Amino acid sequence: MKLEIAAKPPFSLHSVIHSHGWARLAPFNLDDETGEFSYVLELENQRVLKLIIEEIPDGVSVEIEDPISKVEANEISEAVAWMLGLDQDFSEFYELARGESKLEHIEREAQGRILRSPTLFEDTIKTILTTNTAWSGTIRMANTLVTQFGEAIPGDDTAKAFPNPDTIAESDEKTLREETRLGYRSSYILNLAREVNSGTFDLETLKDSDLPVEKVRDSLLSIKGVGNYAVANLLMLLGHYSYLTIDSWALKMVSHEWYGGEPVTPTEVEQAFEKWGDWKGLAYWLWDWSYDGE
DNA sequence: GGTAGACCTGGACGC
DNA sequence: GCGTCCAGGTCTACC
């Protein structure tokens, strides 16, 4: 079974996949040898399917091994469209960026879309898993979480979906610490799963909320484990670019780019991108640093 | 409101 | 082998 989903041009699946590290976090999978890009999705009816996503002339195709119903096809199409930002329009940003040599590549390569998970719950957990750890640690923790708590495709225990809030909520901090090895993040993730599962916190409504970005930010900041860096990352995934994902890497890059290697503060990083207004988060993210950080 | 210090883990590094 | 440091931060107590 193969679905075809249109994307607003210009579009590049390669640019979405490489927009950040998410393609390396389970249940995404990017095969370095074949180039195959896939995601294991659990549908609302709890059916678990592997989606193989490829670029086609006007968008993407999604290959599913087994037959699916029309309702399931619609759910998959909506999920993939969200994950790849197929409806997103960056023409205003492209126009603004013309003439800036450090951003001259973005329109040519159709950059701007940032790969995201089907749910904000999954992206929030993954963002928490990026904090205060090496990237290899983030990959390990996400993989263990999926392996330990995710629903498998029938007959294939190696392919599992991202766990639902209820599955994690039923766990406990000891298990998350000692078996999933999430460290001090265990309590953050357990609290979030329990709040979402109980309905205390309706996280998913923030995906298409009419609230001002400041209100969305406040709501996300109320999550334990989500601070300034994490909230900026989540806002960027939601399509709000007025905050910068200032982490230790950003400080190093801006220091090298404009301050001759001298230490800089988060305020100075903000100032460096102030001219890009509501697009500054994306300008920072897509900036050609051409400095490898070594 | 600003800022030390603690926090899990695992890989890199020096000895 | 072993100890130390620290990585794509955040929270809390304290001032």
Side-chain angles (χ1 to χ4, degrees), chain A residues 194-254:
Chain A
R194 288 180 174 170
E195 286 191 0
V196 170
N197 187 48
S198 68
T200 310
F201 189 21
D202 193 356
L203 189 57
E204 299 308 317
T205 58
L206 298 178
K207 284 168 70 175
D208 55 359
S209 169
D210 292 330
L211 287 172
V213 62
E214 293 79 12
K215 295 287 184 188
V216 177
R217 183 174 186 269
D218 288 345
S219 186
L220 291 169
L221 278 173
S222 73
I223 301 169
K224 291 282 186 190
V226 173
N228 285 332
Y229 156 78
V231 79
N233 187 61
L234 289 170
L235 287 173
M236 185 166 71
L237 292 176
L238 291 173
H240 302 297
Y241 311 109
S242 48
Y243 295 91
L244 267 62
T245 51
I246 301 174
D247 51 21
S248 54
W249 188 83
L251 296 172
K252 188 190 293 185
M253 290 299 105
V254 172

Side-chain angles (χ1 to χ4, degrees), chain A residues 81-102:
Chain A
W82 169 262
M83 290 156 69
L84 304 179
L86 299 182
D87 292 334
Q88 288 183 294
D89 180 4
F90 299 95
S91 53
E92 182 185 325
F93 180 48
Y94 292 158
E95 191 170 335
L96 197 64
R98 282 175 201 145
E100 171 53 67
S101 63
K102 293 288 190 174

Side-chain angles (χ1 to χ4, degrees), chain A residues 253-265 267-269 271-272:
Chain A
M253 290 299 105
V254 172
S255 164
H256 180 269
E257 188 86 355
W258 290 294
Y259 291 86
E262 291 298 311
V264 298
T265 64
T267 303
E268 289 168 319
V269 177
Q271 288 169 346

Side-chain angles (χ1 to χ4, degrees), chain A residues 20 22 25 82 115-131 138 145 162 168 185 188-189 191-193 195-196 201-204 206-207 216 219-227 229-231 233-235 237-238:
Chain A
H20 61 152
W22 254 218
L25 300 182
W82 169 262
L115 182 64
R116 48 194 178 189
S117 307
T119 66
L120 189 53
F121 173 71
E122 181 176 333
D123 275 337
T124 304
I125 288 184
K126 285 177 172 174
T127 300
I128 292 173
L129 296 185
T130 66
T131 59
T138 303
L145 203 54
F162 195 83
I168 299 176
R185 302 168 195 82
Y188 301 156
I189 286 165
N191 285 342
L192 177 62
E195 286 191 0
V196 170
F201 189 21
D202 193 356
L203 189 57
E204 299 308 317
L206 298 178
K207 284 168 70 175
V216 177
S219 186
L220 291 169
L221 278 173
S222 73
I223 301 169
K224 291 282 186 190
V226 173
Y229 156 78
V231 79
N233 187 61
L234 289 170
L235 287 173
L237 292 176
L238 291 173

Side-chain angles (χ1 to χ4, degrees), chain A residues 38-241:
Chain A
S38 64
Y39 181 82
V40 179
L41 177 68
E42 181 174 358
L43 300 175
E44 286 182 13
N45 62 11
Q46 299 185 328
R47 193 174 177 200
V48 182
L49 300 166
K50 179 180 177 181
L51 316 179
I52 300 173
I53 303 168
E54 294 180 338
E55 183 163 354
I56 57 175
D58 296 320
V60 294
S61 69
V62 182
E63 188 178 343
I64 306 114
E65 277 191 12
D66 301 315
I68 54 171
S69 70
K70 191 173 180 182
V71 171
E72 291 173 328
N74 285 340
E75 188 180 341
I76 291 167
S77 295
E78 282 183 17
V80 172
W82 169 262
M83 290 156 69
L84 304 179
L86 299 182
D87 292 334
Q88 288 183 294
D89 180 4
F90 299 95
S91 53
E92 182 185 325
F93 180 48
Y94 292 158
E95 191 170 335
L96 197 64
R98 282 175 201 145
E100 171 53 67
S101 63
K102 293 288 190 174
L103 292 172
E104 58 89 24
H105 59 287
I106 61 171
E107 187 171 5
R108 185 181 68 247
E109 298 175 12
Q111 292 188 357
R113 295 175 173 89
I114 310 294
L115 182 64
R116 48 194 178 189
S117 307
T119 66
L120 189 53
F121 173 71
E122 181 176 333
D123 275 337
T124 304
I125 288 184
K126 285 177 172 174
T127 300
I128 292 173
L129 296 185
T130 66
T131 59
N132 196 29
T133 186
W135 179 241
S136 60
T138 303
I139 293 174
R140 174 188 56 78
M141 288 186 277
N143 190 52
T144 308
L145 203 54
V146 168
T147 303
Q148 195 171 351
F149 296 104
E151 284 295 323
I153 293 176
D156 184 2
D157 260 0
T158 63
K160 293 186 172 184
F162 195 83
N164 291 315
D166 60 327
T167 314
I168 299 176
E170 288 168 4
S171 183
D172 55 75
E173 192 172 334
K174 185 170 186 287
T175 302
L176 292 172
R177 271 182 184 268
E178 297 180 6
E179 295 180 28
T180 323
R181 314 295 289 174
L182 301 183
Y184 68 89
R185 302 168 195 82
S186 301
S187 62
Y188 301 156
I189 286 165
L190 187 61
N191 285 342
L192 177 62
R194 288 180 174 170
E195 286 191 0
V196 170
N197 187 48
S198 68
T200 310
F201 189 21
D202 193 356
L203 189 57
E204 299 308 317
T205 58
L206 298 178
K207 284 168 70 175
D208 55 359
S209 169
D210 292 330
L211 287 172
V213 62
E214 293 79 12
K215 295 287 184 188
V216 177
R217 183 174 186 269
D218 288 345
S219 186
L220 291 169
L221 278 173
S222 73
I223 301 169
K224 291 282 186 190
V226 173
N228 285 332
Y229 156 78
V231 79
N233 187 61
L234 289 170
L235 287 173
M236 185 166 71
L237 292 176
L238 291 173
H240 302 297
Y241 311 109

